[in-house]
Amino acid sequence: MRGTGGGANLLALRSHNTALVLDLLRTAGADGISRLELAERTGLTPQAVSKITARLRADGLAAQAGRRASTGGKPRTVLRLVPEAGHAVGVHLDRDEVRVVLVDLRGAVVGERRAALDLGAGAEAVLGAVREAVAAVREAVAAVPPAGFDRALLGAGVALPGPLDHARGVLHRVTGFPEWDGFPLREALAERLGVPVVVDKDTNAAALGLAAGGEGGSFAYLHLGTGLGAGLVIGGSVHRGARTGAEEFGHQVIQLDGPPCTCGDRGCVEALCLGAVARGDVEEAARVLGTGAANLVGLLDIDVVLLGGRTVAAAPDAFVHGVAAVLEERARRTGQDAVPVRVAAGGGRAVAVGAAQLVLGPVFGRGDG
């Protein structure tokens, strides 16, 4: 694996004011933004903005994007973010697959790698598979022009099924894989990858990525793949709970004394939903998923329900229509407007791309990393 590079050390630049400027440069896109506009929109003095942008230019993070006519004075220099000046890795550890993406400072995917994985194969095998996949995607991207560009790696975000402790980066009894209980995943992967690591649940990461990509308001992201979980964004922020144990959506009991679930309980929405999928009854699976979604809507009054995961991707229309039908029936009973349902953006990359945002978010002043 290549070294992290001696270029832009964004982790060292992460002051509040620098983050404000970087975020405005990012949102301005290729058109750029002037120093005067940066001062007006951040509330910083022109002198402070000049110092920050000079440092960003010296470190290769910002570059001149031309000049813009001003009213009465000389043309203003316009600056833009240099997206390729830094990168973040996003890792999605599923029960049977690892997916790694490399994203630039805009969050755009510039490289991707997928490989089969057995999450129950033991820590050394799983950690080795992650290291190999990260190395492969970085080497592939390094071979792409501009040749010799110092592609600084800021860190890696890792997302996998919960429950886990996001703050400490320690796993709990991952559903179906109790042998991971207490494993310090963040520390172990940081040692192997040589960069800072952030760990979160797969559904939280996907929700974060959707919010960073422009999904507004309060929403629930329901992920149905090898398991079932939810990520919640309330008021623009991912809701993790006081002990980072929120969103164990798949393990709400909706049928007393129902079929056993891998979590040890019975009648969980995950067990019922995956059981219907295994029987080939997509309509029933969607109805069960809709019942769980209706519980969330009733509890949290969210704006939209987004669906994702490989099982949804195999029959997106059936799941959207089935979940929407349950929510529409609930709306008729309550006299409220039905909460809309749609497939989440990002497809199969959603979790991995969101995991990369665990690293990028704090760089741009977004505190969900």
Side-chain angles (χ1 to χ4, degrees), residues 45-140:
T45 65
Q47 293 82 359
V49 167
S50 292
K51 287 182 179 179
I52 291 171
T53 55
R55 183 170 58 170
L56 293 177
R57 290 187 68 179
D59 287 331
L61 294 165
Q64 188 169 321
R67 293 181 177 273
R68 185 179 300 163
S70 63
T71 55
K74 63 180 181 180
R76 299 174 185 167
T77 299
V78 179
L79 301 174
R80 64 172 179 86
L81 183 71
V82 179
E84 64 271 21
H87 292 79
V89 165
V91 179
H92 179 192
L93 273 178
D94 208 344
R95 291 168 173 85
D96 59 359
E97 179 184 82
V98 58
R99 183 191 293 255
V100 173
V101 297
L102 190 69
V103 306
D104 64 17
L105 294 181
R106 297 168 302 181
V109 176
V110 296
E112 182 174 7
R113 174 88 170 187
R114 294 173 65 185
L117 176 81
D118 177 6
L119 196 57
E124 285 306 315
V126 171
L127 295 174
V130 172
R131 187 183 188 282
E132 181 179 330
V134 171
V137 75
R138 292 191 67 201
E139 287 168 5

Side-chain angles (χ1 to χ4, degrees), residues 39-265:
E40 291 172 347
R41 295 177 62 179
T42 60
L44 299 172
T45 65
Q47 293 82 359
V49 167
S50 292
K51 287 182 179 179
I52 291 171
T53 55
R55 183 170 58 170
L56 293 177
R57 290 187 68 179
D59 287 331
L61 294 165
Q64 188 169 321
R67 293 181 177 273
R68 185 179 300 163
S70 63
T71 55
K74 63 180 181 180
R76 299 174 185 167
T77 299
V78 179
L79 301 174
R80 64 172 179 86
L81 183 71
V82 179
E84 64 271 21
H87 292 79
V89 165
V91 179
H92 179 192
L93 273 178
D94 208 344
R95 291 168 173 85
D96 59 359
E97 179 184 82
V98 58
R99 183 191 293 255
V100 173
V101 297
L102 190 69
V103 306
D104 64 17
L105 294 181
R106 297 168 302 181
V109 176
V110 296
E112 182 174 7
R113 174 88 170 187
R114 294 173 65 185
L117 176 81
D118 177 6
L119 196 57
E124 285 306 315
V126 171
L127 295 174
V130 172
R131 187 183 188 282
E132 181 179 330
V134 171
V137 75
R138 292 191 67 201
E139 287 168 5
V141 171
V144 176
F149 192 93
D150 186 9
R151 301 173 186 272
L153 184 60
L154 310 180
V158 181
L160 71 161
L164 52 82
D165 186 332
H166 163 70
R168 295 170 55 230
V170 174
L171 306 187
H172 294 321
R173 294 179 64 86
V174 176
T175 305
F177 300 90
E179 64 271 21
W180 284 99
D181 190 14
F183 187 79
L185 183 62
R186 182 179 67 190
E187 178 183 324
L189 270 179
E191 180 180 341
R192 284 161 177 79
L193 299 180
V195 295
V197 171
V198 186
V199 175
D200 207 345
K201 289 198 291 191
D202 47 12
T203 48
N204 286 345
L208 174 62
L210 291 167
E215 187 68 49
S218 298
F219 63 86
Y221 168 74
L222 309 185
H223 185 93
L224 180 59
T226 57
L228 173 62
L232 302 175
V233 170
I234 308 295
S237 298
V238 174
H239 177 71
R240 295 187 177 92
R243 289 166 295 280
T244 69
E247 299 105 25
E248 284 299 308
F249 169 82
H251 302 295
Q252 56 175 305
V253 175
I254 62 173
Q255 182 182 328
L256 294 177
D257 301 320
C261 181
T262 53
C263 73
D265 215 329

